[in-house]
Amino acid sequence: MASENLTQVTEFILMGVSDRPDLQIPLFFVFLLIYGLTMAGNLGIITLTSVDSQLQTPMYFFLRHLAIINLGDSTVIAPKMLVNFLVTKKTISYYGCAVQLGGFLVFIIGETFMLAAMAYDRYVAICKPLLYMVVVSPQMCILLVFLTYLYSLTTALTVSSYVFSMSYCSSNVIDHFYCDTVPLLALSCSDAYIPETIVFISAGTNLFFSMIIVLTSYFNIVLAILRIRSSEGRQKAFSTCASHMMAVPVFYGTLFFMYLQPRSNLSLCTDKMTSVFYTLVIPMLNPLIYSLRNKDVKDALKRLLNNPWQASKSM
């Protein structure tokens, strides 16, 4: 193609969840409700685990950072998505798209390894209870969270830099509701082999290593619980990780459904619905899972509602 016929893209058009005009307003209210519940639930978890003295443990330290990640993941995507339901011109600038992709990658990678850290925490608590406060010390918790954020940020910058190092010309229409790697790679008019390889290796490595940690931890947890002779002891041990065991399959199951089936079998509609689930619905569900299935969180909420001043003094 002649160079004069190539025009460098300065903005992208996000097609959204649906291009049907009659669904824009109903979908706006649906996703506004989802985002509102996500904000309220995750801010509630962050507040409770920060101010309640009985939730100052490693498990709730990791839960607080999972809530921060869930809040960030939704906030990177939802506000722009909600605005686009109400406007005719659904555009996002070139650099805005790059920032959105980078932010999404930071939080989605961060969530995979924060769940792995939480699984390791439960493994030590149940399988090595006498060593728990030594192995999962406050310094270790801070180190694990710091490394999670550092690795997520580094990987996100690397992947998004490769994606946006390509040339975008001609079409600028992204058939999605946010800037993601796959639709962006499809739009490029330059050789996408290296960026595609980087994206594939990054996604595969992150899923593989985090899943190894999670599966190994819970395999040993289940074995340890089965060795407990009393049913009351087994129930008590299981209750300490029941919420996490519900959240992990939901998150990883969605990612595996998205990335492990052949691209030819994944329609654009399915791609969008799956993306909605792990970017917006799961961040809304996590606070519900960890609060409704967790007696400590429910008791902390009651203490905060009954005596907020006393709760804040206990920090």
Side-chain angles (χ1 to χ4, degrees), residues 84-295:
N84 282 349
F85 281 125
L86 303 177
V87 298
T88 304
K89 192 178 181 183
K90 307 176 190 298
T91 59
I92 183 170
S93 70
Y94 179 88
Y95 293 107
C97 190
V99 169
Q100 188 179 63
L101 174 62
F104 162 70
L105 291 174
V106 167
F107 293 117
I108 202 72
I109 296 169
E111 185 166 0
T112 62
F113 286 98
M114 195 60 65
L115 289 172
M118 294 172 74
Y120 175 72
D121 168 74
R122 291 300 84 204
Y123 159 73
V124 179
I126 292 173
C127 299
K128 302 180 185 296
L130 298 178
L131 298 174
Y132 181 65
M133 295 310 296
V134 176
V135 176
V136 192
S137 63
Q139 294 81 7
M140 178 58 70
C141 292
I142 292 171
L143 178 63
L144 288 174
V145 168
F146 172 75
L147 290 176
T148 295
Y149 287 134
L150 179 63
Y151 175 77
S152 302
L153 181 61
T154 304
T155 306
L157 286 173
T158 302
V159 172
S160 56
S161 296
Y162 271 99
V163 171
F164 279 89
S165 68
M166 301 185 299
S167 298
Y168 292 95
C169 44
S170 184
S171 177
N172 65 338
V173 178
I174 301 175
D175 196 359
H176 216 306
F177 60 91
Y178 70 99
C179 294
D180 197 5
T181 53
V182 174
L184 281 168
L185 290 171
L187 284 181
S188 174
C189 55
S190 58
D191 185 9
Y193 176 76
I194 293 178
E196 283 179 349
T197 304
I198 295 295
V199 168
F200 177 79
I201 292 174
S202 172
T205 302
N206 295 334
L207 281 173
F208 176 77
F209 282 108
S210 61
M211 276 298 296
I212 287 294
I213 297 170
V214 170
L215 292 176
T216 302
S217 297
Y218 277 102
F219 177 76
N220 286 285
I221 286 171
V222 171
L223 289 181
I225 291 175
L226 292 177
R227 292 193 196 104
I228 300 174
R229 295 184 178 181
S230 68
S231 59
E232 182 181 350
R234 286 195 297 269
Q235 184 176 358
K236 184 178 179 180
F238 179 76
S239 67
T240 65
C241 57
S243 299
H244 192 243
M245 292 179 76
M246 289 177 62
V248 166
V250 173
F251 178 73
Y252 280 102
T254 306
L255 288 183
F256 272 85
F257 175 80
M258 178 77 175
Y259 291 108
L260 290 190
Q261 63 174 311
R263 300 303 302 177
S264 58
N265 294 343
L266 189 63
S267 67
L268 285 174
C269 182
T270 305
D271 189 349
K272 290 180 185 180
M273 290 304 102
T274 308
S275 298
V276 163
F277 200 77
Y278 70 72
T279 59
L280 299 172
V281 176
I282 288 178
M284 177 191 70
L285 291 178
N286 277 344
L288 297 175
I289 292 172
Y290 284 104
S291 59
L292 295 178
R293 296 283 301 178
N294 192 306
K295 185 177 182 298

